[in-house]
Amino acid sequence: MTRRDIPVLDLGPYRTGTPGALDALAAELRHAQENVGFFVVVNHGVPQARIDAAFESARRFHALPLEAKLALKANEHNIGYLPFKGSTTRSSRVNVNTKPNLNEALFVKRDLAPDHPDVLAGKRYKAPNQWPGETALPGFRADVVAYCDAMEALAKSLLPLYARALDLPADWFDKAFELPMYTLRMTHYPPVPEAEIEDNQFAIAPHTDSGFLTLLAQSDIPGLAIRLPDGTWIEPPMIPGSFVVNTGDLAHRWTNERFLSTPHRVVHRTPRDRYAIPFFFDCSYDHVMECIPTCTGPGNPPKYPPTTYPEYQLWFGSRNYAHIAPKAGEKMAAG
Ligand SMILES: O=C(O)CCC(=O)C(=O)O
Ligand SMILES: [Fe+2]
């Protein structure tokens, strides 16, 4: 297997409305989703300055003193700071991960005001972000929110392709994604001397992402590897300014396993700090993901019960993070 096994999709003709471009690209997407679960997009329209500012925000945040970061420790909504070695990827189906990941991260969700009705109602995963002060990091909040807005717009623009790839009308996902849930993970992987890395320990251990799709701005430092269905690990083509896009577990379940949720991991051997800013994109909070009609039929019954974002994320979060646990009466999806 070679690098060429991860398809590169050019969004240019689709974005400019070239006749036939939607269905041509949807066919490429279908191939990528059914065979690899990962692809790379170019000509996506997100300005490079916006991407650079997001990487710079990650660098600035993690350069803060540890006490300042610990003051923002991730809460029951998985919003906030996850300390170094603060997660162990127990949700994995491809590796028994017992060692904590060699990274620290800041999790950001849609920027809700403290008096937002869902916040006041105490809904899981609906809470204000935990920002460092404007004095400590001037412009940080504005840059991160602008990046989330750009990622939300890009992800939404891909939905007609996902719909056509599944032989559905182009607007089929519109209702489900009326107010998408999303999470930006701003990760720092410090260089760790070889001698300090234990057996079966990773910068981020083999895992599948939990959501519908992930947009990962390409880092200039390698480390990400993808496990193809035949078991070989390959690296995505490093195309500056591109995004690596992959399907997560919720798309895998929703499509009755037609779209792959492909395992991946990060091994960080470059003696430099590595930053990653994956954006995890999901449907609206209350939308019930029930097996997509074109993914089931005689002899192919739905393999999963219908589920919602909070039900599935609660299972995933409680496996991987000590700070996430179901409360009495809270519904959780079996993984
Ligand atoms: O750091 C990367 O390149 C990928 C990180 C990743 O897979 C994740 O955070 O889910
Ligand atoms: Fe991932």
Side-chain angles (χ1 to χ4, degrees):
M1 292 285 180
T2 69
R3 281 166 177 248
R4 282 188 300 275
D5 289 317
I6 297 182
V8 179
L9 270 56
D10 181 357
L11 298 189
Y14 166 61
R15 286 181 45 239
T16 51
T18 307
L22 167 62
D23 278 342
L25 198 54
E28 289 184 49
L29 178 76
R30 179 190 304 130
H31 177 82
Q33 296 291 83
E34 292 183 354
N35 297 284
V36 188
F38 267 80
F39 57 97
V40 171
V41 293
V42 295
N43 289 324
H44 44 69
V46 180
Q48 188 60 44
R50 181 56 59 226
I51 301 173
D52 292 346
F55 274 109
E56 178 61 9
S57 298
R59 193 198 60 72
R60 290 173 75 206
F61 176 80
H62 289 292
L64 288 173
L66 184 58
E67 315 81 77
K69 294 189 276 187
L70 286 174
L72 309 174
K73 232 174 151 185
N75 55 26
E76 66 184 66
H77 307 286
N78 207 25
I79 291 174
Y81 173 65
L82 176 78
F84 187 64
K85 293 191 185 175
S87 68
T88 306
T89 312
R90 296 203 171 85
S91 61
S92 183
R93 296 181 187 89
V94 287
N95 191 45
V96 182
N97 297 313
T98 51
K99 308 281 166 59
N101 294 311
L102 300 171
N103 71 64
E104 56 180 335
L106 177 70
F107 292 97
V108 172
K109 285 185 160 40
R110 188 183 293 282
D111 205 23
L112 300 182
D115 63 352
H116 186 285
D118 289 347
V119 175
L120 295 177
K123 288 191 183 179
R124 171 84 69 165
Y125 301 123
K126 293 267 198 164
N129 284 313
Q130 301 206 63
W131 299 110
E134 197 57 28
T135 331
L137 286 187
F140 178 83
R141 179 178 186 167
D143 277 341
V144 172
V145 169
Y147 187 70
C148 289
D149 289 348
M151 290 303 95
E152 181 181 15
L154 174 58
K156 271 188 146 174
S157 79
L158 299 177
L159 293 174
L161 297 166
Y162 281 76
R164 292 300 300 131
L166 293 164
D167 305 304
L168 298 162
D171 63 357
W172 197 85
F173 283 112
D174 288 6
K175 177 96 191 51
F177 286 83
E178 231 158 22
L179 186 61
M181 295 298 295
Y182 62 72
T183 306
L184 179 69
R185 188 190 213 272
M186 307 178 81
T187 312
H188 173 217
Y189 306 92
V192 179
E194 197 73 44
E196 288 171 28
I197 304 177
E198 298 179 51
D199 278 349
N200 196 34
Q201 189 167 41
F202 299 87
I204 194 161
H207 68 282
T208 52
D209 291 347
S210 58
F212 183 81
L213 70 83
T214 306
L215 298 175
L216 178 70
Q218 284 247 35
S219 156
D220 56 355
I221 298 185
L224 175 65
I226 290 156
R227 187 179 175 275
L228 292 177
D230 72 1
T232 47
W233 289 90
I234 61 165
E235 291 179 13
M238 284 184 79
I239 303 174
S242 68
F243 287 90
V244 174
V245 187
N246 66 283
T247 328
D249 298 343
L250 280 172
H252 184 62
R253 294 166 73 109
W254 203 357
T255 61
N256 215 15
E257 301 188 348
R258 186 164 160 190
F259 282 4
L260 301 176
S261 178
T262 299
H264 50 287
R265 68 177 183 208
V266 175
V267 174
H268 178 36
R269 291 280 188 272
T270 314
R272 276 170 60 198
D273 292 288
R274 184 177 185 276
Y275 298 92
I277 45 174
F279 178 85
F280 305 106
F281 182 71
D282 274 288
C283 68
S284 307
Y285 192 83
D286 290 318
H287 186 81
V288 179
M289 287 168 272
E290 185 165 11
C291 183
I292 291 173
T294 52
C295 301
T296 179
N300 183 25
K303 297 179 177 69
Y304 301 94
T307 192
T308 62
Y309 172 90
E311 285 171 14
Y312 190 73
Q313 292 300 339
L314 190 54
W315 174 80
F316 187 89
S318 61
R319 296 289 292 157
N320 298 333
Y321 306 114
H323 58 273
I324 304 286
K327 293 182 205 160
E330 206 174 12
K331 246 181 118 182
M332 185 161 95

